[in-house]
Amino acid sequence: MVSKNQIKLISGLVQKKQRFANQLFFAEGVKVIQELLQSNFELEHLYTTQNDFESVLVSKKTLINAQDLKKISALSTPNTCLAVFKIPADKEIIESGLILALDDIRDPGNLGTILRLCDWFGIKQLLCSKESVDIYNPKVVQATMGSIARVNVNYVDLNVFLAQTSLPVFGTFMDGSNIYKTDLPQEGIIIMGNEANGISDEIEKTIKNRLTIPRFGELQKTESLNVATATAIILSEFKRNS
Amino acid sequence: MVSKNQIKLISGLVQKKQRFANQLFFAEGVKVIQELLQSNFELEHLYTTQNDFESVLVSKKTLINAQDLKKISALSTPNTCLAVFKIPADKEIIESGLILALDDIRDPGNLGTILRLCDWFGIKQLLCSKESVDIYNPKVVQATMGSIARVNVNYVDLNVFLAQTSLPVFGTFMDGSNIYKTDLPQEGIIIMGNEANGISDEIEKTIKNRLTIPRFGELQKTESLNVATATAIILSEFKRNS
């Protein structure tokens, strides 16, 4: 049984403002919830339609029916469980190795997919501009498939951060040097730009290393790659010889 | 002005059955429509809220208001225009060079993104299993950003096709040979599997060349990449030395 107040609280967490005010977010589905439980995320409360999650204290768990789950779920087809977690305090930025920095990524699916890529390629630090979509947006949490537990994510003023870093800064443009023919280091900041507008002018000024992903189509008409697939190609290229 | 019958016909085209029965599909937005018009797609009718598309015959064009556009649009925020096109007859399969084959891709966004990747990397032929999402699904058409006009797409029984081809067949698995250390030819069929289940057992039997995308995360916990990002990495690797 979920009370009206709980329904109001949880369904409100689809809004960034409510997540921030309550310092809570939620995740749905056994796999993602298990990954978060095994990591350092602090469980506020678990709602499940099954007798599962034996490791979770009874006081932190409520058995509910599918109708109640539907009321708190953000999915059109709810899973069997939903867990509310505390938003952890920001960790310190790991300013070494390869860092991925997102300049205003707006699509939750893209951010989730990019976080999975960071996890796959062993990128420990993801920086997001303050305008980027919130990592605790339910659609992002679902798309990360648990990777949210293994990559450090910080929201920063990218201009301020880039002005003080001593790491080399990389970005992809139509006129950069061919990524397949450039020696790529194992330390640096790789900037990926907004879905519609690419990298902003102000950030572009800080990028000393301009790269390009060559196109192979004969017609050369494809204007762009989706930002998540471009990130996949770039991270693969940075890591393949490491 | 759009008649009730037209609204019924066009809004029905979100269903595969109706697209097939009428041999029609639709696209929304100036960019995608322009790309399709410039290619060999035959326009059935264009609906626009602006005085644009000057090259389109007056008899093929209707100026409508935003309310009417909303009635026929599949987008939550409709663009300024929607065009209905005839579904072209299947072209012959181009059985040379690199071919991408999709074994039961269900997500329209994934198929659209993969088609853009084919276009970018100069892959001329995309094969889809008959269970894969339809290329003329409105969500696929939108996600392709016009690439649908430049890549040949055929729906086939993949088992039958693979049984008769003389091209080498590639697939990615957890236990394959490292794609970064394998000589990859410029001719062959690359199979990508279903979002949840990967490559089916029957198709797997036909794959003589097992590849793997190495993981770099220390914890090695990331279970999988999204199929579109995996396709990006694989196509990039096949083409980078070509």
Coordinates of all heavy atoms in Angstrom, one line a residue, chain B residues 20-108:
Chain B
F20 N 1.4 -0.5 -45.2 CA 1.5 -1.6 -46.2 C 0.2 -1.6 -47.2 O 0.4 -1.7 -48.4 CB 1.6 -2.9 -45.5 CG 1.9 -4.1 -46.4 CD1 3.2 -4.3 -46.9 CD2 0.9 -4.9 -46.9 CE1 3.4 -5.3 -47.8 CE2 1.1 -6.0 -47.7 CZ 2.4 -6.2 -48.2
A21 N -0.9 -1.5 -46.6 CA -2.2 -1.5 -47.4 C -2.2 -0.3 -48.4 O -2.7 -0.5 -49.5 CB -3.4 -1.4 -46.5
N22 N -1.8 0.8 -47.9 CA -1.8 2.0 -48.8 C -0.5 2.3 -49.6 O -0.5 3.2 -50.4 CB -2.2 3.3 -47.9 CG -3.5 3.2 -47.3 OD1 -4.5 3.4 -48.1 ND2 -3.6 2.9 -46.0
Q23 N 0.5 1.5 -49.2 CA 1.8 1.7 -49.8 C 2.3 3.2 -49.7 O 2.8 3.8 -50.6 CB 1.9 1.3 -51.3 CG 1.8 -0.3 -51.4 CD 3.1 -0.9 -50.8 OE1 4.2 -0.6 -51.3 NE2 3.0 -1.7 -49.8
L24 N 2.0 3.8 -48.5 CA 2.4 5.2 -48.2 C 3.1 5.3 -46.9 O 2.8 4.4 -46.0 CB 1.1 6.0 -48.2 CG 0.3 6.2 -49.5 CD1 -1.0 6.9 -49.2 CD2 1.1 6.9 -50.5
F25 N 3.9 6.3 -46.7 CA 4.5 6.6 -45.4 C 4.6 8.1 -45.3 O 4.4 8.8 -46.3 CB 5.8 5.9 -45.2 CG 7.0 6.6 -45.9 CD1 7.9 7.5 -45.3 CD2 7.2 6.3 -47.3 CE1 8.9 8.0 -46.0 CE2 8.2 6.8 -48.0 CZ 9.1 7.7 -47.4
F26 N 4.9 8.6 -44.1 CA 5.0 10.1 -44.0 C 6.3 10.5 -43.3 O 6.8 9.7 -42.5 CB 3.8 10.8 -43.5 CG 3.5 10.5 -42.0 CD1 4.1 11.2 -41.0 CD2 2.5 9.5 -41.7 CE1 3.8 10.9 -39.7 CE2 2.2 9.3 -40.4 CZ 2.8 10.0 -39.4
A27 N 6.7 11.7 -43.6 CA 7.9 12.3 -42.9 C 7.5 13.7 -42.5 O 6.6 14.3 -43.1 CB 9.0 12.4 -43.9
E28 N 8.2 14.2 -41.4 CA 7.8 15.5 -40.9 C 9.1 16.4 -40.8 O 10.2 15.9 -40.5 CB 7.2 15.4 -39.5 CG 5.9 14.5 -39.6 CD 5.1 14.6 -38.3 OE1 4.6 15.7 -38.0 OE2 4.8 13.6 -37.7
G29 N 8.9 17.7 -41.0 CA 10.1 18.6 -40.9 C 10.7 18.9 -42.2 O 10.8 18.0 -43.1
V30 N 11.1 20.2 -42.4 CA 11.7 20.6 -43.7 C 12.9 19.8 -44.1 O 12.9 19.4 -45.3 CB 12.0 22.1 -43.6 CG1 12.7 22.6 -44.9 CG2 10.8 23.0 -43.3
K31 N 13.8 19.5 -43.2 CA 15.0 18.9 -43.6 C 14.8 17.5 -44.2 O 15.3 17.2 -45.2 CB 16.0 18.8 -42.4 CG 17.4 18.4 -42.7 CD 18.2 18.3 -41.5 CE 19.5 17.6 -41.8 NZ 19.4 16.4 -42.7
V32 N 14.1 16.7 -43.4 CA 13.9 15.3 -43.8 C 13.1 15.3 -45.2 O 13.4 14.6 -46.1 CB 13.1 14.5 -42.8 CG1 12.9 13.1 -43.2 CG2 13.9 14.5 -41.5
I33 N 12.0 16.1 -45.2 CA 11.2 16.2 -46.5 C 12.0 16.6 -47.7 O 11.9 16.0 -48.7 CB 10.0 17.1 -46.2 CG1 9.0 16.5 -45.2 CG2 9.2 17.3 -47.5 CD1 7.9 17.4 -44.8
Q34 N 12.9 17.6 -47.5 CA 13.7 18.1 -48.6 C 14.6 17.0 -49.1 O 14.8 16.8 -50.3 CB 14.6 19.3 -48.1 CG 13.9 20.6 -48.0 CD 13.5 21.3 -49.3 OE1 13.5 20.6 -50.3 NE2 13.2 22.5 -49.2
E35 N 15.2 16.2 -48.1 CA 16.1 15.1 -48.5 C 15.4 14.1 -49.3 O 15.9 13.5 -50.3 CB 16.7 14.5 -47.2 CG 17.6 15.4 -46.4 CD 19.0 15.1 -46.6 OE1 19.4 14.4 -47.5 OE2 19.8 15.6 -45.7
L36 N 14.1 13.8 -48.9 CA 13.4 12.7 -49.6 C 12.9 13.3 -51.0 O 13.0 12.5 -51.9 CB 12.2 12.3 -48.7 CG 12.5 11.6 -47.4 CD1 11.2 11.4 -46.6 CD2 13.1 10.2 -47.7
L37 N 12.6 14.5 -51.0 CA 12.2 15.1 -52.3 C 13.3 15.1 -53.3 O 13.2 14.8 -54.5 CB 11.7 16.6 -52.2 CG 10.3 16.8 -51.5 CD1 10.1 18.3 -51.3 CD2 9.2 16.2 -52.4
Q38 N 14.5 15.4 -52.8 CA 15.7 15.4 -53.7 C 16.1 14.0 -54.1 O 16.9 13.9 -55.1 CB 16.9 16.1 -53.0 CG 16.8 17.6 -53.0 CD 17.6 18.3 -51.9 OE1 18.6 17.7 -51.5 NE2 17.2 19.5 -51.5
S39 N 15.7 13.0 -53.4 CA 16.0 11.6 -53.8 C 14.9 11.1 -54.7 O 14.1 11.8 -55.2 CB 16.2 10.8 -52.5 OG 17.1 11.5 -51.7
N40 N 14.8 9.8 -54.8 CA 13.9 9.2 -55.7 C 12.5 8.9 -55.1 O 11.8 8.1 -55.6 CB 14.5 8.0 -56.3 CG 15.6 8.4 -57.3 OD1 15.5 9.4 -58.0 ND2 16.7 7.6 -57.2
F41 N 12.2 9.5 -53.9 CA 10.9 9.3 -53.3 C 9.8 10.1 -54.0 O 10.0 11.2 -54.2 CB 11.0 9.6 -51.8 CG 11.7 8.6 -51.0 CD1 13.1 8.6 -50.9 CD2 11.1 7.5 -50.5 CE1 13.8 7.7 -50.2 CE2 11.8 6.5 -49.8 CZ 13.2 6.6 -49.6
E42 N 8.7 9.4 -54.3 CA 7.6 10.0 -55.0 C 6.6 10.6 -54.0 O 6.1 9.9 -53.2 CB 6.9 9.0 -55.9 CG 6.0 9.7 -56.9 CD 5.3 8.6 -57.8 OE1 5.8 7.5 -58.0 OE2 4.2 8.9 -58.2
L43 N 6.5 11.9 -54.1 CA 5.6 12.6 -53.2 C 4.1 12.3 -53.5 O 3.7 12.4 -54.7 CB 5.8 14.2 -53.3 CG 4.9 15.0 -52.4 CD1 5.3 14.9 -50.9 CD2 5.1 16.5 -52.8
E44 N 3.4 12.0 -52.5 CA 1.9 11.8 -52.7 C 1.3 13.2 -52.4 O 0.5 13.7 -53.2 CB 1.4 10.7 -51.7 CG -0.1 10.6 -51.7 CD -0.6 9.7 -52.8 OE1 0.2 9.1 -53.5 OE2 -1.8 9.6 -53.0
H45 N 1.6 13.7 -51.2 CA 1.0 15.1 -50.9 C 1.8 15.7 -49.8 O 2.2 15.0 -48.8 CB -0.5 15.0 -50.6 CG -1.2 16.3 -50.9 ND1 -1.6 16.6 -52.1 CD2 -1.4 17.3 -50.1 CE1 -2.2 17.8 -52.1 NE2 -2.1 18.3 -50.8
L46 N 1.9 17.0 -49.8 CA 2.6 17.8 -48.8 C 1.6 18.7 -48.1 O 0.8 19.4 -48.7 CB 3.7 18.7 -49.5 CG 4.4 19.7 -48.6 CD1 5.4 19.0 -47.6 CD2 5.2 20.7 -49.5
Y47 N 1.7 18.7 -46.8 CA 0.9 19.6 -45.9 C 1.8 20.5 -45.2 O 2.7 20.0 -44.5 CB 0.1 18.8 -44.9 CG -0.9 17.8 -45.6 CD1 -0.4 16.5 -46.0 CD2 -2.2 18.1 -46.0 CE1 -1.2 15.6 -46.6 CE2 -3.0 17.2 -46.7 CZ -2.5 16.0 -47.0 OH -3.3 15.1 -47.7
T48 N 1.7 21.8 -45.4 CA 2.6 22.8 -44.7 C 1.8 24.0 -44.2 O 0.8 24.4 -44.7 CB 3.7 23.2 -45.7 OG1 4.5 24.2 -45.1 CG2 3.2 23.7 -47.0
T49 N 2.4 24.5 -43.1 CA 1.8 25.7 -42.5 C 2.4 27.0 -43.0 O 2.0 28.1 -42.7 CB 1.9 25.7 -41.0 OG1 3.3 25.6 -40.7 CG2 1.2 24.5 -40.3
Q50 N 3.4 26.8 -43.9 CA 4.2 28.0 -44.4 C 4.1 28.0 -45.9 O 3.7 27.0 -46.6 CB 5.7 27.8 -44.1 CG 6.0 27.2 -42.8 CD 6.3 28.1 -41.7 OE1 7.1 29.0 -41.9 NE2 5.7 28.0 -40.6
N51 N 4.4 29.1 -46.5 CA 4.5 29.2 -48.0 C 5.9 28.8 -48.5 O 6.6 29.6 -49.0 CB 4.2 30.6 -48.4 CG 2.7 30.9 -48.5 OD1 2.0 30.1 -49.1 ND2 2.3 32.0 -47.9
D52 N 6.2 27.5 -48.2 CA 7.5 27.0 -48.6 C 7.4 25.9 -49.6 O 6.4 25.7 -50.2 CB 8.3 26.6 -47.3 CG 7.5 25.6 -46.4 OD1 6.4 25.2 -46.8 OD2 8.0 25.3 -45.3
F53 N 8.5 25.2 -49.8 CA 8.6 24.1 -50.8 C 8.1 24.6 -52.2 O 7.2 24.1 -52.8 CB 7.8 22.9 -50.3 CG 8.4 22.2 -49.1 CD1 7.9 22.5 -47.9 CD2 9.4 21.4 -49.3 CE1 8.4 21.8 -46.8 CE2 10.0 20.7 -48.2 CZ 9.5 21.0 -46.9
E54 N 8.7 25.7 -52.7 CA 8.3 26.3 -54.0 C 8.4 25.3 -55.1 O 7.7 25.4 -56.1 CB 9.2 27.5 -54.2 CG 8.7 28.7 -53.4 CD 9.7 29.8 -53.3 OE1 10.6 29.9 -54.1 OE2 9.6 30.5 -52.2
S55 N 9.3 24.3 -55.0 CA 9.5 23.4 -56.1 C 8.4 22.4 -56.2 O 8.2 21.7 -57.3 CB 10.9 22.6 -56.0 OG 10.8 21.8 -54.8
V56 N 7.6 22.3 -55.2 CA 6.5 21.3 -55.2 C 5.3 21.9 -56.0 O 4.9 23.0 -55.7 CB 6.1 20.9 -53.8 CG1 4.8 20.0 -53.8 CG2 7.3 20.1 -53.1
L57 N 4.7 21.1 -56.9 CA 3.5 21.5 -57.7 C 2.4 21.9 -56.7 O 2.2 21.3 -55.7 CB 3.1 20.3 -58.5 CG 3.9 19.9 -59.7 CD1 3.3 18.7 -60.4 CD2 4.1 21.1 -60.7
V58 N 1.7 22.9 -57.1 CA 0.5 23.4 -56.3 C -0.5 22.3 -56.1 O -1.1 22.2 -55.0 CB -0.1 24.6 -57.0 CG1 -1.4 25.1 -56.2 CG2 0.9 25.8 -57.1
S59 N -0.7 21.4 -57.0 CA -1.7 20.4 -56.9 C -1.2 19.3 -55.9 O -2.1 18.5 -55.5 CB -1.9 19.7 -58.3 OG -0.7 19.1 -58.7
K60 N 0.0 19.3 -55.5 CA 0.5 18.3 -54.6 C 0.7 18.9 -53.2 O 1.4 18.3 -52.3 CB 1.9 17.8 -55.1 CG 1.9 17.0 -56.3 CD 1.9 15.5 -55.9 CE 2.0 14.6 -57.1 NZ 1.8 13.2 -56.7
K61 N 0.2 20.1 -53.0 CA 0.6 20.9 -51.7 C -0.7 21.5 -51.2 O -1.5 22.0 -51.9 CB 1.6 21.9 -52.2 CG 2.2 22.7 -51.1 CD 3.5 23.4 -51.5 CE 3.3 24.4 -52.6 NZ 4.5 25.2 -52.9
T62 N -0.8 21.4 -49.8 CA -2.0 22.0 -49.2 C -1.5 22.9 -48.0 O -0.7 22.4 -47.2 CB -3.0 21.0 -48.6 OG1 -3.4 20.2 -49.7 CG2 -4.2 21.7 -48.0
L63 N -1.9 24.2 -48.0 CA -1.5 25.0 -46.9 C -2.5 24.8 -45.8 O -3.7 24.9 -46.0 CB -1.6 26.5 -47.3 CG -1.0 27.5 -46.4 CD1 0.5 27.4 -46.3 CD2 -1.4 28.9 -46.9
I64 N -2.0 24.4 -44.6 CA -2.9 24.0 -43.5 C -2.5 24.8 -42.3 O -1.4 25.4 -42.2 CB -2.9 22.5 -43.2 CG1 -1.5 22.1 -42.7 CG2 -3.4 21.7 -44.3 CD1 -1.5 20.6 -42.2
N65 N -3.4 24.9 -41.3 CA -3.0 25.6 -40.0 C -2.5 24.6 -39.0 O -2.5 23.4 -39.2 CB -4.3 26.3 -39.5 CG -5.4 25.4 -39.2 OD1 -5.2 24.3 -38.8 ND2 -6.6 25.9 -39.4
A66 N -1.9 25.2 -38.0 CA -1.2 24.3 -37.0 C -2.1 23.3 -36.3 O -1.7 22.2 -36.0 CB -0.6 25.3 -35.9
Q67 N -3.4 23.7 -36.1 CA -4.3 22.8 -35.5 C -4.5 21.5 -36.4 O -4.6 20.4 -35.9 CB -5.7 23.4 -35.3 CG -5.7 24.4 -34.2 CD -5.5 25.8 -34.7 OE1 -4.5 26.1 -35.5 NE2 -6.4 26.8 -34.3
D68 N -4.7 21.7 -37.7 CA -4.8 20.6 -38.6 C -3.6 19.7 -38.7 O -3.6 18.5 -38.7 CB -5.2 21.1 -40.0 CG -6.8 21.3 -40.1 OD1 -7.5 20.9 -39.2 OD2 -7.2 21.9 -41.1
L69 N -2.4 20.4 -38.6 CA -1.2 19.7 -38.7 C -1.1 18.8 -37.4 O -0.6 17.6 -37.5 CB 0.0 20.7 -38.7 CG 1.4 20.0 -38.8 CD1 1.6 19.1 -40.0 CD2 2.5 21.0 -38.7
K70 N -1.5 19.3 -36.3 CA -1.5 18.5 -35.1 C -2.3 17.2 -35.2 O -2.0 16.2 -34.7 CB -2.0 19.3 -33.9 CG -1.4 18.8 -32.6 CD -1.6 19.8 -31.4 CE -1.3 19.1 -30.1 NZ 0.0 18.5 -30.0
K71 N -3.4 17.3 -36.0 CA -4.3 16.2 -36.2 C -3.6 15.0 -37.0 O -3.9 13.9 -36.8 CB -5.6 16.6 -36.9 CG -6.5 17.3 -36.0 CD -7.8 17.7 -36.7 CE -8.5 18.8 -36.0 NZ -9.4 19.6 -36.8
I72 N -2.7 15.4 -37.9 CA -2.1 14.3 -38.7 C -0.7 14.0 -38.3 O -0.1 13.0 -38.7 CB -2.1 14.7 -40.2 CG1 -1.4 16.1 -40.4 CG2 -3.5 14.8 -40.8 CD1 -1.2 16.5 -41.9
S73 N -0.1 14.8 -37.4 CA 1.3 14.6 -36.9 C 1.4 13.5 -35.9 O 0.6 13.2 -35.1 CB 1.8 15.9 -36.3 OG 3.1 15.7 -35.7
A74 N 2.6 12.8 -36.0 CA 2.9 11.8 -35.0 C 3.8 12.4 -33.9 O 4.2 11.7 -33.0 CB 3.6 10.6 -35.7
L75 N 4.2 13.6 -34.0 CA 5.1 14.3 -33.1 C 4.3 15.0 -32.0 O 3.2 15.5 -32.2 CB 6.0 15.3 -33.8 CG 6.8 14.8 -34.9 CD1 7.5 16.0 -35.6 CD2 7.9 13.8 -34.4
S76 N 4.8 14.9 -30.7 CA 4.1 15.6 -29.6 C 4.1 17.1 -29.9 O 3.2 17.9 -29.6 CB 4.7 15.2 -28.3 OG 6.1 15.4 -28.3
T77 N 5.3 17.6 -30.4 CA 5.3 19.0 -30.9 C 5.5 19.0 -32.4 O 6.6 18.9 -32.9 CB 6.6 19.7 -30.2 OG1 6.5 19.4 -28.8 CG2 6.5 21.2 -30.4
P78 N 4.4 19.2 -33.1 CA 4.5 19.1 -34.6 C 5.5 20.1 -35.2 O 5.6 21.2 -34.6 CB 3.1 19.3 -35.1 CG 2.3 18.9 -33.9 CD 3.0 19.3 -32.7
N79 N 6.1 19.8 -36.3 CA 6.9 20.7 -37.0 C 6.1 21.7 -37.8 O 4.9 21.9 -37.4 CB 7.8 19.8 -38.0 CG 9.1 20.5 -38.2 OD1 9.2 21.5 -38.8 ND2 10.2 19.8 -37.8
T80 N 6.5 22.2 -38.9 CA 5.7 23.1 -39.7 C 5.1 22.3 -41.0 O 4.3 22.9 -41.7 CB 6.5 24.3 -40.3 OG1 7.6 23.8 -41.0 CG2 7.0 25.1 -39.1
C81 N 5.5 21.1 -41.2 CA 5.1 20.4 -42.4 C 5.2 18.9 -42.3 O 5.9 18.4 -41.4 CB 6.0 20.8 -43.6 SG 7.8 20.8 -43.2
L82 N 4.3 18.2 -43.1 CA 4.3 16.8 -43.1 C 4.1 16.4 -44.5 O 3.2 17.0 -45.2 CB 3.1 16.3 -42.2 CG 2.9 14.8 -42.1 CD1 2.3 14.5 -40.7 CD2 2.1 14.2 -43.2
A83 N 4.8 15.4 -45.0 CA 4.7 15.0 -46.4 C 4.4 13.5 -46.4 O 5.1 12.7 -45.7 CB 5.9 15.3 -47.2
V84 N 3.4 13.1 -47.3 CA 3.1 11.7 -47.5 C 3.8 11.3 -48.8 O 3.7 12.0 -49.8 CB 1.6 11.5 -47.6 CG1 1.3 10.0 -47.8 CG2 0.9 12.0 -46.3
F85 N 4.6 10.2 -48.7 CA 5.3 9.7 -49.8 C 4.9 8.2 -50.2 O 4.4 7.5 -49.3 CB 6.8 9.6 -49.5 CG 7.5 10.9 -49.5 CD1 7.6 11.6 -48.2 CD2 8.0 11.6 -50.6 CE1 8.3 12.8 -48.2 CE2 8.6 12.8 -50.5 CZ 8.7 13.4 -49.3
K86 N 5.1 7.9 -51.4 CA 4.8 6.5 -51.8 C 6.0 5.6 -51.3 O 7.1 6.0 -51.4 CB 4.7 6.3 -53.3 CG 3.5 7.1 -53.8 CD 3.1 6.7 -55.2 CE 1.7 7.2 -55.5 NZ 1.6 8.0 -56.8
I87 N 5.7 4.4 -50.8 CA 6.7 3.5 -50.5 C 7.3 2.9 -51.8 O 6.6 2.4 -52.6 CB 6.2 2.3 -49.6 CG1 5.8 2.9 -48.2 CG2 7.2 1.2 -49.5 CD1 5.2 1.8 -47.2
P88 N 8.6 3.1 -52.0 CA 9.2 2.7 -53.3 C 9.2 1.2 -53.3 O 9.3 0.5 -52.3 CB 10.6 3.3 -53.3 CG 10.9 3.5 -51.8 CD 9.6 3.7 -51.1
A89 N 9.3 0.7 -54.5 CA 9.5 -0.8 -54.7 C 10.8 -1.2 -54.2 O 11.8 -0.4 -54.2 CB 9.3 -1.1 -56.2
D90 N 10.9 -2.4 -53.7 CA 12.2 -2.9 -53.2 C 13.3 -2.9 -54.3 O 13.0 -3.3 -55.5 CB 12.1 -4.4 -52.7 CG 11.7 -4.4 -51.3 OD1 11.5 -3.4 -50.7 OD2 11.5 -5.5 -50.8
K91 N 14.5 -2.4 -54.0 CA 15.6 -2.5 -55.0 C 16.3 -3.8 -54.8 O 16.2 -4.4 -53.7 CB 16.5 -1.3 -54.8 CG 15.9 0.0 -55.3 CD 16.9 1.1 -55.2 CE 16.3 2.5 -55.2 NZ 17.0 3.4 -54.4
E92 N 17.1 -4.2 -55.8 CA 17.8 -5.4 -55.6 C 18.9 -5.2 -54.5 O 19.5 -4.1 -54.4 CB 18.5 -5.7 -57.0 CG 18.7 -7.2 -57.2 CD 19.2 -7.4 -58.7 OE1 18.6 -6.8 -59.6 OE2 20.2 -8.1 -58.8
I93 N 19.2 -6.3 -53.8 CA 20.2 -6.2 -52.8 C 21.6 -6.1 -53.4 O 21.9 -6.8 -54.4 CB 20.2 -7.5 -51.9 CG1 18.8 -7.6 -51.2 CG2 21.4 -7.6 -51.0 CD1 18.6 -8.9 -50.5
I94 N 22.4 -5.1 -52.9 CA 23.7 -4.9 -53.4 C 24.7 -5.9 -52.6 O 25.0 -5.6 -51.5 CB 24.2 -3.4 -53.1 CG1 23.2 -2.5 -53.8 CG2 25.6 -3.2 -53.7 CD1 23.3 -1.0 -53.2
E95 N 25.0 -7.0 -53.2 CA 25.7 -8.0 -52.5 C 27.2 -7.9 -52.7 O 27.9 -8.8 -53.2 CB 25.2 -9.4 -52.8 CG 25.4 -10.4 -51.7 CD 24.8 -11.8 -52.0 OE1 23.9 -11.9 -52.7 OE2 25.4 -12.8 -51.4
S96 N 27.7 -6.7 -52.3 CA 29.2 -6.5 -52.4 C 29.6 -5.4 -51.4 O 28.7 -4.8 -50.8 CB 29.6 -6.1 -53.8 OG 29.0 -4.8 -54.1
G97 N 30.8 -5.3 -51.1 CA 31.3 -4.3 -50.1 C 30.8 -4.7 -48.7 O 30.6 -5.9 -48.5
L98 N 30.7 -3.8 -47.8 CA 30.3 -4.1 -46.5 C 28.8 -3.9 -46.4 O 28.2 -3.0 -46.9 CB 30.9 -3.2 -45.5 CG 32.4 -3.5 -45.2 CD1 33.0 -2.4 -44.3 CD2 32.6 -4.8 -44.5
I99 N 28.1 -5.0 -45.8 CA 26.7 -5.0 -45.7 C 26.4 -5.1 -44.2 O 27.1 -5.8 -43.5 CB 26.1 -6.2 -46.4 CG1 26.3 -6.1 -47.9 CG2 24.6 -6.4 -46.0 CD1 25.9 -7.3 -48.7
L100 N 25.5 -4.3 -43.7 CA 25.1 -4.4 -42.3 C 23.8 -5.2 -42.2 O 22.9 -4.9 -43.0 CB 24.9 -3.0 -41.6 CG 24.8 -3.0 -40.1 CD1 26.2 -3.4 -39.5 CD2 24.4 -1.6 -39.6
A101 N 23.7 -6.1 -41.4 CA 22.4 -6.9 -41.3 C 21.9 -6.9 -39.8 O 22.7 -7.2 -38.9 CB 22.7 -8.4 -41.7
L102 N 20.7 -6.6 -39.7 CA 20.1 -6.4 -38.3 C 19.2 -7.6 -38.0 O 18.2 -7.8 -38.7 CB 19.3 -5.1 -38.2 CG 20.1 -3.8 -38.6 CD1 19.2 -2.6 -38.5 CD2 21.4 -3.7 -37.7
D103 N 19.5 -8.3 -37.0 CA 18.7 -9.5 -36.5 C 17.7 -9.0 -35.5 O 18.0 -9.1 -34.3 CB 19.7 -10.5 -36.0 CG 19.0 -11.8 -35.5 OD1 17.8 -12.0 -35.9 OD2 19.6 -12.6 -34.8
D104 N 16.6 -8.5 -35.9 CA 15.5 -8.3 -35.0 C 15.7 -7.0 -34.1 O 15.6 -7.1 -32.9 CB 15.3 -9.5 -34.1 CG 13.9 -9.6 -33.5 OD1 13.1 -8.7 -33.7 OD2 13.7 -10.5 -32.7
I105 N 16.0 -5.9 -34.8 CA 16.1 -4.6 -34.0 C 14.7 -4.1 -33.9 O 13.9 -4.0 -34.9 CB 17.0 -3.6 -34.8 CG1 18.4 -4.1 -34.9 CG2 16.9 -2.2 -34.2 CD1 19.1 -4.1 -33.5
R106 N 14.3 -3.8 -32.6 CA 12.9 -3.4 -32.4 C 12.7 -1.9 -32.1 O 11.6 -1.4 -32.2 CB 12.4 -4.2 -31.1 CG 12.3 -5.7 -31.3 CD 11.3 -6.1 -32.4 NE 11.4 -7.5 -32.7 CZ 10.5 -8.4 -32.2 NH1 9.6 -8.0 -31.3 NH2 10.6 -9.7 -32.5
D107 N 13.7 -1.2 -31.7 CA 13.5 0.2 -31.3 C 13.7 1.1 -32.5 O 14.7 1.1 -33.2 CB 14.6 0.5 -30.2 CG 14.4 1.9 -29.8 OD1 13.5 2.2 -28.9 OD2 15.1 2.8 -30.3
P108 N 12.6 1.9 -32.8 CA 12.7 2.8 -34.0 C 13.9 3.7 -34.0 O 14.5 4.0 -35.0 CB 11.4 3.5 -34.0 CG 10.5 2.8 -33.1 CD 11.4 2.0 -32.1

